[in-house]
Amino acid sequence: MCNITLRENGSAPEIKNTAYAVVFGSVMVVGLPLNAMSLWILLRRHSLKSPSAVFMVNLAMSDLLLVISLPMRVYFYATCTWPLGSMACIWITMLFRNNIRSSSIFITFISMDRLLAVVYPLRSRHLRTSSNAWRAVVLIWVFVVVMNIPESVYFSRFLENNTVTTCFEFQHDPKCPIAHFQPVLVFTLLAVNIVCTALVSWTLRRHLNESAKINNKVNVMLIFAMNLLMFTVFFLPVSLAVVLKNRRHYLTPLLCLASVNCCLDPLLYYFSFDGFWKRQEDVDSSLARE
């Protein structure tokens, strides 16, 4: 737990808190320009008529929401104080937690869209429309925000019984049903991504000798490889840690690790297009020919 007593009585907690501040600060410095530039490119060069572009724009927005929550985390771990009160603490914590949930859902929808584009390019055209993508996006954000309500209530009760120096040290009781929501969500979405990866890999190998460009196939598989990396390295460990006992000493390092995902998402945008600066309609036509 981050508090003044620990900083005064021992150097190890102080070093840990400094390391947390450095990690969150580095993610903020790298993630902000990368995601701002990615969002600008997506909006400027890729029509929002494409479902993939719609999902990626919202993924970039999710990452930017994470980034804007990081300055106060840096201040908290650098000073072990929280000057803004419990309500601000709750809002900033929810922004951080929402990134894992919204990012994992958007990444899964990107995988499913690529699956339809590669495996069922003609039959899926009536499904892969911008209107359907926007409907899905609205439902995703509503779902994520609604899940904040019970968590915020539980968090406010936690802060009532603790000092403000525990702001970002909030941990669910493993017996609380709310604590199991995120692990179940991440496991389910990971399973969907694994199935999508297997089906796309099998389809591309089956058509390996056809005239489609091999670079396109490599890029497609890189998308799925990065999606699985996001889940197994950034989303899954911290989601499991929430429901485990004796998690106090490794939950914050895992949160630091999870925050790094917003710096790698721009690579997903790059590999999702056959050339980041091309229009998405050209990419979909290329995939359809495969």
Side-chain angles (χ1 to χ4, degrees), residues 127-141:
L127 294 175
R128 298 180 60 250
T129 63
S130 60
S131 59
N132 286 339
W134 280 113
R135 291 189 188 98
V137 164
V138 171
L139 290 176
I140 291 168
W141 284 116

Side-chain angles (χ1 to χ4, degrees), residues 29-288:
V29 170
V30 175
L32 180 60
L34 281 179
N35 284 283
M37 182 180 298
S38 297
L39 184 61
W40 181 83
I41 294 174
L42 287 168
L43 292 174
R44 183 71 180 269
R45 294 285 180 173
H46 298 277
S47 165
L48 291 183
K49 295 179 181 179
S50 161
S52 281
V54 171
F55 294 133
M56 290 179 189
V57 163
N58 282 271
L59 179 59
M61 292 173 59
S62 175
D63 289 336
L64 285 173
L65 289 176
L66 168 67
V67 170
I68 66 175
S69 75
L70 294 181
M72 292 313 301
R73 280 186 178 264
V74 174
Y75 179 87
F76 173 75
Y77 285 109
T79 66
C80 281
T81 59
W82 181 253
L84 300 181
S86 60
M87 188 56 65
C89 179
I90 293 172
W91 278 97
I92 293 175
T93 301
M94 291 302 108
L95 280 179
F96 191 96
R97 290 180 175 231
N98 284 346
N99 173 259
I100 296 178
R101 296 164 188 174
S102 58
S103 293
S104 61
I105 297 174
F106 287 129
I107 286 174
T108 302
F109 270 76
I110 292 170
S111 293
M112 294 172 64
D113 178 72
R114 295 297 83 189
L115 168 70
L116 294 175
V118 173
V119 182
Y120 308 106
L122 299 178
R123 283 181 287 177
S124 65
R125 285 193 173 183
H126 68 287
L127 294 175
R128 298 180 60 250
T129 63
S130 60
S131 59
N132 286 339
W134 280 113
R135 291 189 188 98
V137 164
V138 171
L139 290 176
I140 291 168
W141 284 116
V142 169
F143 171 76
V144 169
V145 171
V146 167
M147 288 308 305
N148 287 164
I149 298 174
E151 278 199 324
S152 297
V153 172
Y154 193 89
F155 193 11
S156 63
R157 293 173 181 172
F158 170 83
L159 291 176
E160 287 176 359
N161 300 321
N162 295 273
T163 66
V164 291
T165 56
T166 60
C167 176
F168 295 122
E169 303 297 322
F170 167 63
Q171 299 178 13
H172 276 301
D173 183 347
K175 297 179 181 179
C176 178
I178 300 175
H180 294 81
F181 163 72
Q182 185 164 309
V184 171
L185 175 67
V186 171
F187 263 116
T188 303
L189 296 178
L190 175 58
V192 173
N193 278 271
I194 292 174
V195 172
C196 290
T197 303
L199 289 175
V200 170
S201 177
W202 177 78
T203 300
L204 292 181
R205 285 201 306 269
R206 186 180 63 178
H207 297 291
L208 185 61
N209 295 323
E210 295 185 2
S211 59
K213 295 181 180 179
I214 188 65
N215 288 337
N216 290 344
K217 295 181 179 181
V218 171
N219 285 355
V220 168
M221 291 313 303
L222 282 173
I223 296 171
F224 289 94
M226 286 199 61
N227 290 348
L228 294 178
L229 175 70
M230 291 290 185
F231 274 89
T232 56
V233 175
F234 302 113
F235 300 151
L236 191 58
V238 70
S239 299
L240 289 176
V242 172
V243 296
L244 297 178
K245 295 181 179 180
N246 302 320
R247 62 195 184 279
R248 173 179 170 182
H249 299 292
Y250 53 80
L251 182 58
T252 303
L254 289 177
L255 288 172
C256 290
L257 178 63
S259 68
V260 178
N261 85 88
C262 72
C263 299
L264 297 183
D265 281 336
L267 290 177
L268 176 63
Y269 312 143
Y270 179 85
F271 290 120
S272 293
F273 304 116
D274 185 21
F276 192 30
W277 295 89
K278 290 185 179 180
R279 294 187 177 276
Q280 175 64 19
E281 290 86 347
D282 298 335
V283 181
D284 287 340
S285 299
S286 175
L287 286 171

